[in-house]
Amino acid sequence: MQDYDYIIVGAGSAGCVLANRLSADPGIRVLLMEAGGRDKNTFIHFPAGIGKLISPDRIAKENWGYWTEPQRHLNGRRLYWPRGRCLGGSSSINGMVYIRGHSSDYDRWAQMGCTGWDWDSVLPYFRKSEDSERGATDWHGAGGPLHTSKKSMQSPLVDAFLKAGEQAGHDLTDDFNGPRFEGVGRYDATIHGGERWSAARAYLTPILHRANLDVLTDVQAERVLFRGRRAHAVGYRAGGKSEIAVGREIILCGGAINSPQMLMLSGIGPADHLKSHGLAVVHDSPHVGGNMQDHLDLLVQWRIDEPVSLNSNAKLTNQLKALGSWLAVRQGTGSFMPTPAGAFLSTRPDLAAPDIQLHLLPALGDPHGRGGLGKVHGFTIHVCQLRPESRGTVRLASHDPAAPPRIDPNYLGAPEDLEVLLAGLEITRALGRQPAFARLGAREQWPGADVQGRNQLVERIREWAETIYHPVGTCHMGRGDDAVVGTDLRVRGVDGLRVVDASVMPTLISGNTNAPTIMIAEKISDTILAERHGALAA
């Protein structure tokens, strides 16, 4: 095909949804472009294979493998940011936790001027996307493309974690996506039949046969081309440079890093910044690449005496056994996500919603989350602040589209973020001291029982805090002049261009960001189709 109604740039979580929903109308011609390749790597589909996909030591071809600028509040360290670069995007390399966030996250969006994005308006789209093992309820959907499982790894460490939560005075919850968000419980997962259920697997693979859909992989989109102020083509690199024209709209789905980069390369962004790189300004949009938010994370760790952790898989024979079980019957420890349980808790009693999230990893490794498993048994609890006040930026490093952008999350730039992390660290350490873990011989490994007092803990945070990979906000939506896109996700100041991905979130939601990104794409697909059908009727 040569004439497309819609060109979607980026086949990640949002791009796969849009490709599916828009091409369901046989009268609409859709092109989906992806810089990476197909999702054929076995480790994508093997839930325990995540370590092979996100490791900074040997970066997989399905991973952009970004690094931040030195973080001045984290002792000048550069932090590693894995992002998906294949069909499915980051949903093909993420931790597979299915979380929507707290209802107040979306009501806050509406209060900020994002009419139509309140909780009651977005819940139907979460349900529409989902095929939940819990069945169809007021909270869950059945029959949607995205399979979600409530089955999780069975482990004495998971049992101990849930019991320790009770012993520490926290409530248990059976469903973080149900009526009770706060508490300690098991996570639902985007896993089906023992395999990762990425956005590509859910939305794209079943519809690749459609005659009105083309999918181009290993194609680096470079910029949007304009005629006046209207987007009319995508310039891309594949062998020799070329471009593809569009009839109605170009939709950027590159995520919180690549979408603002693409806008700026196309002449939409802070005018002075664009000019400094020799780029012509199509529209001066000062907040493109700003408003970046991310979840900063700590790994609190314990050694145990009982040999009940996943550190058993440090032995090559056990690794091969786990892989063999998965290859043969899609069962065993490798068929589950690595963080089967967690919690949403409040650091203060006066909060309307929890402000920290925990992920239990029933294994002990490097406190940076690198280096694989050691032979010493233990467990790790991730703790992150859910609603950071710090704001960062994405900026161009060069006018060359192949050059990675400059990523500066400005972690702990807001002093209150440090206070929440300190409180969350103490809540997490208290969990590890409960009798349920003491029975396993738990001894704090990091930061270490001898590390006490504010000054020592602050220094540990600055030395060891890492991202848990939830960047958003860099093309945020709103109604004011500071918004990059409107509530229909059209880019302000130009025509024929939208952004649909996590970058449009005005504020970070309370939890993992994959399910909300899919929801955003589901919702805006309905908007686009309604606009098209309205135009045809007129």
Side-chain angles (χ1 to χ4, degrees):
M1 295 188 296
Q2 296 180 350
D3 300 319
Y4 296 99
D5 295 295
Y6 298 94
I7 296 178
I8 302 166
V9 181
S13 297
C16 289
V17 174
L18 285 160
N20 180 302
R21 298 307 190 188
L22 297 184
S23 67
D25 183 338
I28 295 177
R29 294 159 298 178
V30 178
L31 173 65
L32 178 64
M33 303 176 69
E34 168 56 38
R38 302 274 170 169
D39 55 338
K40 293 182 178 180
N41 188 332
T42 298
F43 290 114
I44 290 176
H45 308 290
F46 178 39
I50 180 175
K52 301 292 186 181
L53 300 170
I54 66 171
S55 170
D57 301 317
R58 186 177 180 182
I59 296 175
K61 66 178 182 179
E62 295 84 6
N63 179 359
W64 285 98
Y66 290 122
W67 291 85
T68 71
E69 296 294 293
Q71 295 300 287
R72 65 191 185 97
H73 301 294
L74 297 177
N75 293 348
R77 291 185 292 122
R78 294 179 182 268
L79 274 60
Y80 171 64
W81 275 29
R83 309 304 300 162
R85 191 173 187 251
C86 62
L87 295 183
S90 292
S91 75
S92 290
I93 69 168
N94 71 1
M96 295 157 283
V97 176
Y98 181 77
I99 285 291
R100 299 167 178 175
H102 194 270
S103 60
S104 65
D105 296 328
Y106 304 97
D107 290 338
R108 182 183 179 191
W109 290 4
Q111 291 164 4
M112 296 171 68
C114 298
T115 305
W117 292 91
D118 57 281
W119 174 247
D120 288 342
S121 296
V122 303
L123 177 58
Y125 290 100
F126 280 116
R127 295 181 69 249
K128 179 181 180 180
S129 71
E130 191 183 14
D131 187 20
S132 173
E133 285 185 356
R134 298 176 182 272
T137 69
D138 290 344
W139 294 88
H140 289 281
L146 186 67
H147 291 288
T148 61
S149 172
K150 67 175 183 177
K151 298 184 182 72
S152 63
M153 185 189 307
Q154 299 301 305
S155 164
L157 281 168
V158 176
D159 297 336
F161 176 78
L162 299 177
K163 187 64 178 178
E166 283 189 294
Q167 292 169 342
H170 306 299
D171 293 326
L172 295 180
T173 181
D174 176 60
D175 181 6
F176 290 119
N177 300 298
R180 184 174 190 85
F181 180 73
E182 185 161 6
V184 180
R186 294 177 181 269
Y187 284 125
D188 284 13
T190 49
I191 291 176
H192 180 60
E195 297 185 6
R196 174 195 293 273
W197 211 253
S198 68
R201 189 71 178 273
Y203 285 90
L204 192 58
T205 301
I207 57 119
L208 288 173
H209 65 279
R210 288 179 181 169
N212 61 330
L213 171 67
D214 280 356
V215 179
L216 294 181
T217 56
D218 299 300
V219 170
Q220 176 72 58
E222 295 190 323
R223 55 180 48 84
V224 176
L225 305 174
F226 289 87
R227 286 178 179 162
R229 303 187 77 81
R230 180 166 188 82
H232 83 94
V234 174
Y236 68 95
R237 179 182 300 174
K241 292 185 178 181
S242 191
E243 63 184 63
I244 304 176
V246 69
R248 291 185 63 84
E249 284 189 351
I250 295 166
I251 307 172
L252 303 185
C253 299
I257 300 171
N258 297 104
S259 282
Q261 180 189 27
M262 182 80 161
L263 284 179
M264 288 185 282
L265 289 169
S266 305
I268 301 171
D272 290 344
H273 178 62
L274 303 186
K275 291 175 183 176
S276 72
H277 288 287
L279 295 167
V281 178
V282 174
H283 175 60
D284 181 10
S285 185
H287 297 280
V288 170
N291 192 49
M292 171 180 277
Q293 301 151 64
D294 185 31
H295 287 145
L296 191 63
D297 184 70
L298 292 169
L299 293 122
V300 189
Q301 300 184 317
W302 293 262
R303 297 179 65 164
I304 57 174
D305 293 329
E306 298 295 319
V308 294
S309 74
L310 292 179
N311 291 90
S312 296
N313 287 341
K315 295 181 180 179
L316 180 59
T317 53
N318 288 345
Q319 291 177 30
L320 294 174
K321 181 179 178 181
L323 178 59
S325 177
W326 181 81
L327 288 171
V329 290
R330 297 299 193 263
Q331 293 181 4
T333 58
S335 65
F336 297 102
M337 65 181 174
T339 54
F344 291 91
L345 305 173
S346 299
T347 61
R348 306 195 317 267
D350 58 334
L351 293 175
D355 59 344
I356 60 169
Q357 180 182 5
L358 309 183
H359 293 77
L360 170 70
L361 174 64
L364 179 66
D366 185 284
H368 274 300
R370 304 174 190 163
L373 297 176
K375 295 182 180 180
V376 175
H377 285 275
F379 64 97
T380 300
I381 300 178
H382 291 256
V383 53
C384 76
Q385 180 197 10
L386 288 174
R387 292 182 296 282
E389 296 296 329
S390 302
R391 297 293 184 267
T393 58
V394 171
R395 291 288 181 257
L396 298 176
S398 166
H399 66 274
D400 180 0
R406 293 172 52 203
I407 302 167
D408 183 7
N410 189 32
Y411 291 120
L412 301 185
E416 50 267 50
D417 292 351
L418 178 61
E419 300 307 314
V420 176
L421 267 182
L422 281 167
L425 178 56
E426 290 297 354
I427 289 171
T428 307
R429 296 176 88 186
L431 275 176
R433 293 194 293 266
Q434 299 305 314
F437 282 126
R439 288 195 209 64
L440 301 176
R443 302 179 301 284
E444 188 177 299
Q445 178 87 352
W446 193 97
D450 59 326
V451 178
Q452 299 292 334
R454 178 186 173 85
N455 290 341
Q456 283 187 309
L457 292 173
V458 167
E459 186 54 33
R460 290 295 190 277
I461 289 172
R462 298 196 192 282
E463 288 176 354
W464 293 98
E466 291 282 344
T467 175
I468 202 166
Y469 320 133
H470 299 155
V472 307
T474 48
C475 299
H476 75 283
M477 67 172 157
R479 292 192 177 277
D481 292 338
D482 65 333
V484 176
V485 299
T487 56
D488 57 1
L489 308 192
R490 294 181 187 272
V491 176
R492 295 167 62 92
V494 296
D495 297 318
L497 182 63
R498 293 188 212 238
V499 177
V500 182
D501 54 38
S503 72
V504 306
M505 297 183 191
T507 55
L508 186 52
I509 63 101
S510 302
N512 310 70
T513 50
N514 183 241
T517 301
I518 289 173
M519 174 278 293
I520 288 169
E522 285 276 19
K523 189 174 187 300
I524 216 65
S525 294
D526 269 7
T527 299
I528 293 171
L529 290 170
E531 290 172 356
R532 174 179 171 81
H533 295 151
L536 291 175

